[in-house]
Amino acid sequence: PILLRNSSATSPFSVLTGLYGFPKHFEADPTPLLAPFFFVFFGLCLTDSGYGLLLAIFFGLGLLKMSLGPTAKNFFRLLFLGGISSLIFGAFVGGWMGNTLKILPESLSFLDRWASSFLVLDPIKNPVPFLILSLVLGVIQIYAGLVAKFIATKSRKGLREAALEEGVEI
């Protein structure tokens, strides 16, 4: 049996660790390493501030108003954080419920101007920077996993075995 002990910041992400399988008793808990990557990639995949806001409101209210067990509470927290992530990354790429702000009446056009003030990357007009960002973040995630595995193997089996298992020349 495995008992994961995570901080309040990473405990919602233990739901994901459970989905993919808990570590063995001698292995490190991957949740703290998984948490920031999931937060960023969830927001980059949804990239819509309107839907992110709805997710955050819906699951935030669920956390406040419903009596939930520990696993359900972590799941609701995970989706609440996913909503926050989508709100942030959606604002950076100009995603506000699709093109809803573009088709509003003239009297509400200030909302589109306000939302455009947050725009950092526009994947509709120029998708290449967004694709490069996604690629770079993916490579960082892969290398973070390789370094974590190397460190775990080194502490368990020594430097030589870790280097041989990970293909590193020493």
Side-chain angles (χ1 to χ4, degrees):
I2 300 294
L3 176 63
L4 300 178
R5 294 190 182 164
N6 291 298
S7 69
S8 60
T10 59
S11 64
F13 299 94
S14 63
V15 172
L16 298 170
T17 302
L19 287 174
Y20 290 102
F22 291 106
K24 295 181 177 98
H25 68 280
F26 58 85
E27 294 177 333
D29 178 12
T31 309
L33 187 61
L34 172 134
F37 289 111
F38 185 83
F39 182 82
V40 169
F41 286 128
F42 189 97
L44 284 176
C45 287
L46 192 53
T47 58
D48 194 293
S49 290
Y51 293 119
L53 183 62
L54 289 176
L55 268 175
I57 290 171
F58 180 75
F59 287 100
L61 285 173
L63 283 166
L64 292 174
K65 303 286 184 185
M66 296 173 71
S67 176
L68 301 168
T71 303
K73 189 175 277 194
N74 275 338
F75 184 69
F76 271 54
R77 285 182 185 146
L78 178 68
L79 290 173
F80 173 77
L81 290 171
I84 298 297
S85 175
S86 297
L87 177 66
I88 293 167
F89 288 102
F92 288 160
V93 299
W96 295 90
M97 303 284 260
N99 70 342
T100 304
L101 297 181
K102 303 271 187 236
I103 60 172
L104 289 174
E106 185 64 36
S107 60
L108 297 175
S109 65
F110 69 93
L111 290 172
D112 186 38
R113 288 191 302 276
W114 174 79
S116 295
S117 68
F118 298 106
L119 188 66
V120 176
L121 292 173
D122 191 348
I124 302 299
K125 291 181 182 170
N126 189 7
V128 174
F130 187 78
L131 293 172
I132 290 171
L133 173 67
S134 300
L135 180 67
V136 167
L137 290 173
V139 169
I140 290 169
Q141 181 185 20
I142 289 170
Y143 277 108
L146 290 172
V147 168
K149 185 175 179 198
F150 178 83
I151 292 168
T153 305
K154 179 179 170 266
S155 68
R156 223 175 50 249
K157 296 181 181 179
L159 179 62
R160 180 170 160 67
E161 285 298 316
L164 289 172
E165 280 189 28
E166 298 308 313
V168 178
E169 287 189 40
I170 53 171

